[in-house]
Every structure is written in C-alpha cells, then in structure tokens.
Amino acid sequence: DTGVSQNPRHKITKRGQNVTFRCDPISEHNRLYWYRQTLGQGPEFLTYFQNEAQLEKSRLLSDRFSAERPKGSFSTLEIQRTEQGDSAMYLCASSRRQGARTVNEKLFFGSGTQLSVL
Amino acid sequence: AQKITQTQPGMFVQEKEAVTLDCTYDTSDPSYGLFWYKQPSSGEMIFLIYQGSYDQQNATEGRYSLNFQKARKSANLVISASQLGDSAMYFCAMRERSGGGADGLTFGKGTHLIIQP
C-alpha cells in the first residue's frame, strides 16, 4: 500500500529563483489537494484537482504559483520568483470522491516538501 | 472569524494518563464533518478520527474518542492511556457541506502534545 509521495522532502533556494514540487497521490484517488503550512499554523488550502481539472484556487495562490495535474495522476506545484514569505511546508493530499460532495471525505496526506527561501 | 479554534498551544502529559485536546468550531451549515489529524515530526498528517454532524454517537477509534457536543460546537479529542509515541502536533479540521469556497478541510492551529515518561 503506497501512500502519497512528495518530492523533494526539502528545498533550499535563493530569493527570485523558481522551484517545482511533485506529488504522487494514492493510485486510485481522483482528487488531489495542495496545502501550505507555516510554522505554528495548521495547513491552509491552496488548490485542488478532480482528475486533471483544477476546480478551485485559494486567494492565497498568487500569480506566481501554478499547479498542474496533466494526466490526472501526479501533480506539480511551481513557484516562480520565490520570496522569503514563500518559506513553508507544502503538503499534498489525495482522496477518492465518488459522486456529490460529502462531508466525510477523508484526505490522505504526504510528508510534505519543506521550502526555505534565503 | 476562526472556523476552528484550538485553545491549547501545548500540553505536557504523563505517560499512561488520558488526555483531552480541545476543539471548538464555527459553522451555520447543519451538515458538516469534523476530523482530527496527528502530525509527528516527520511531517505527514495522519488521520485519526471522524465525526459527522448527524452522527448520534460519539466516534471512537481504538484509543481515540471524540467528545462531540453539538450545542456547544465542540469536538474534543480524547486519547486514553497515552504513550510516548503520541507526542506530536494534533489538528482539528472541518468540512462543511455547503462549503462556500474551499472544498478542502479547514484546520485549526493545532496543539503540540508532549508525553513525558
């Protein structure tokens, strides 16, 4: 049973550089979520996909952020022109949604990518 | 306004004691789900327990139980017979049926639980 996999685990970059993170969800899961978690806070929703369609983006997701899930399997999150305020843990989660929205949909999380912008 | 409030930033508990982690929530949606996740130092968020707003009984999963008081809008996590491996961050989260914006979970700020031998 493979869980949600995220790469890299850690990324250190200089301000102004572009970075890309990858998330491989649980294979049969059709939904994929990106969250950001800063120190001392809970995860904050960024965006999610159902299959390859990006259905919602948070206002936290500035124009410098872009996420893709081209074939409905793995996803990438790219941050362009990184800023020090982008330093955070980026968490990916997946779930299997069948039918209409349900409140009991459980998310399975990866271990995250810790980004440090110097 | 905060949708999920966890008022205990940190807690120290002796091994084998029971511990209660507080969570209050704010919603006008009659249909919602409440979740607790554990985040050890490795970073992964681990699902612990779920309670639906229409569930008649409090949820239980092994050593975890949820003290759900709907009128008070509280959903406290109870861990019985705590173990050293329970030391971690614990997050309460909610999903509303109407959702408004985000279709994901809304998390509280967490409680850092430390179990002492």
Side-chain angles (χ1 to χ4, degrees):
Chain A
D1 177 28
T2 56
V4 178
S5 176
Q6 291 189 247
N7 289 288
R9 287 298 312 276
H10 303 275
K11 179 70 177 178
I12 300 174
T13 191
K14 292 183 179 179
R15 189 175 53 187
Q17 297 293 306
N18 299 343
V19 294
T20 300
F21 312 139
R22 177 180 170 125
C23 172
D24 289 89
I26 294 171
S27 59
E28 65 268 23
H29 284 183
N30 58 349
R31 286 216 156 190
L32 187 148
Y33 295 80
W34 285 99
Y35 281 81
R36 181 174 69 186
Q37 185 180 20
T38 53
L39 201 61
Q41 302 293 320
E44 295 173 296
F45 169 80
L46 291 179
T47 188
Y48 83 90
F49 294 83
Q50 179 152 317
N51 300 313
E52 65 275 7
Q54 188 174 16
L55 296 186
E56 188 170 355
K57 294 193 288 187
S58 161
R59 58 180 174 76
L60 295 175
L61 212 66
S62 76
D63 292 344
R64 296 183 297 105
F65 287 69
S66 62
E68 294 183 343
R69 194 182 183 199
K71 297 182 180 179
S73 56
F74 73 91
S75 175
T76 58
L77 177 67
E78 181 184 15
I79 308 174
Q80 296 181 324
R81 306 181 302 282
T82 53
E83 302 173 355
Q84 288 184 327
D86 297 332
S87 295
M89 172 80 84
Y90 290 84
L91 291 163
C92 176
S94 70
S95 68
R96 184 167 57 183
R97 165 74 64 90
Q98 294 175 323
R101 177 186 176 93
T102 58
V103 296
N104 63 352
E105 182 182 324
K106 186 170 70 178
L107 301 189
F108 295 81
F109 284 83
S111 295
T113 294
Q114 182 66 53
L115 173 66
S116 297
V117 181
L118 306 178
Chain B
Q2 289 276 349
K3 288 223 171 200
I4 298 287
T5 302
Q6 295 181 252
T7 57
Q8 306 150 310
M11 287 185 71
F12 289 87
V13 174
Q14 288 296 120
E15 189 180 9
K16 298 181 184 177
E17 288 184 353
V19 56
T20 298
L21 304 180
D22 295 341
C23 172
T24 57
Y25 58 91
D26 181 27
T27 181
S28 57
D29 195 330
S31 179
Y32 53 90
L34 297 158
F35 301 75
W36 276 92
Y37 280 82
K38 172 184 178 181
Q39 187 178 40
S41 56
S42 60
E44 181 181 358
M45 300 282 285
I46 301 168
F47 168 78
L48 296 178
I49 197 166
Y50 165 82
Q51 180 84 43
S53 60
Y54 292 121
D55 292 344
Q56 294 297 312
Q57 294 186 333
N58 287 344
T60 61
E61 291 280 356
R63 292 187 301 113
Y64 304 108
S65 61
L66 204 151
N67 184 1
F68 181 46
Q69 298 187 43
K70 195 170 181 177
R72 294 184 178 183
K73 294 188 176 178
S74 78
N76 298 341
L77 176 71
V78 180
I79 306 173
S80 63
S82 57
Q83 303 170 356
L84 296 178
D86 293 333
S87 295
M89 286 291 296
Y90 287 81
F91 291 95
C92 180
M94 176 173 66
R95 174 183 282 110
E96 300 158 288
R97 175 173 282 282
S98 64
D103 194 21
L105 293 173
T106 301
F107 287 85
K109 293 187 176 183
T111 296
H112 189 189
L113 176 64
I114 297 174
I115 307 299
Q116 297 175 312

